């Protein structure tokens, strides 16, 4: 049985809950586990440290502070966009999450925080930034 090490590839299910106990995200909803290459920087070192030594079939629950999970919200990721940039299918409504085309062709989701006159405040921080999160993980496969 192989243990998760610094360069392992890990397939795992996870559930994320907020400090108030409400569900934030889960791979079980569509039964599609996540895949992680340890050490690739896609997840925080604190998250990876929790997985080290685990084996397939093992379950674990742990809580991470915001800086160890998705980081703290960055004020530089909040933009003011002119209302004319929005369309009928993607209206500027508070709470709406809209994909914005980036120069490289990718799409970045932004959350509409505020609409005042023709100025729309869009937050491009990860929706879970600034949150203390509890992760329930179940290791499916280690290679």
């Amino acid at each position: 049985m192989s243990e998760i090490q610094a360069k392992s590839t890990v397939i795992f299910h996870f559930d994320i809950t907020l400090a108030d106990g409400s569900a934030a995200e889960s791979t079980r909803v569509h039964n599609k586990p996540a895949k992680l290459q340890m050490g690739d920087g896609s997840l925080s070192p604190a998250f990876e440290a929790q997985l080290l030594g685990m084996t397939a079939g093992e379950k674990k629950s742990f809580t991470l502070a915001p800086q160890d999970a998705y980081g703290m919200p960055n004020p530089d990721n909040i933009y003011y966009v002119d209302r004319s940039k929005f369309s009928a299918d993607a209206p500027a409504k508070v709470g709406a999450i809209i994909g914005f085309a980036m120069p490289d062709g990718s799409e970045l989701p932004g959350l509409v925080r505020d609409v005042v006159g023709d100025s729309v405040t869009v937050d491009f921080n990860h929706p879970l930034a600034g949150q203390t999160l509890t992760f329930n993980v179940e290791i499916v496969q280690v290679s």
Side-chain angles (χ1 to χ4, degrees):
M1 181 78 69
S2 59
E3 285 188 359
I4 297 174
Q5 295 170 7
K7 298 291 179 199
S8 298
T9 299
V10 183
I11 296 175
F12 65 105
H13 273 295
F14 66 85
D15 303 288
I16 303 175
T17 49
L18 303 176
D20 67 5
S22 60
E25 200 174 323
S26 175
T27 57
R28 296 178 193 287
V29 174
H30 300 293
N31 199 24
K32 287 194 176 144
K35 184 174 184 180
L36 164 67
Q37 177 63 53
M38 294 287 281
D40 72 358
S42 62
L43 291 172
S44 73
F47 185 96
E48 288 192 1
Q50 292 287 337
L51 299 184
L52 286 172
M54 291 182 73
T55 57
E58 200 173 337
K59 296 178 181 181
K60 185 177 190 179
S61 176
F62 54 91
T63 300
L64 294 178
Q67 58 274 22
D68 293 327
Y70 288 97
M72 296 303 288
N74 181 343
D76 294 342
N77 291 339
I78 296 179
Y79 289 84
Y80 300 94
V81 182
D82 193 87
R83 189 192 278 261
S84 65
K85 303 275 189 238
F86 294 83
S87 65
D89 17 312
K93 274 181 30 197
V94 174
I97 296 175
I98 298 172
F100 290 84
M102 297 287 99
D104 68 2
S106 67
E107 193 175 75
L108 184 64
L111 173 66
V112 177
R113 292 268 183 214
D114 201 12
V115 181
V116 178
D118 286 332
S119 177
V120 181
T121 306
V122 182
D123 185 346
F124 288 100
N125 284 295
H126 190 285
L128 296 176
Q131 302 269 357
T132 295
L133 303 170
T134 297
F135 296 84
N136 287 297
V137 298
E138 178 181 355
I139 307 303
V140 176
Q141 185 183 330
V142 179
S143 53

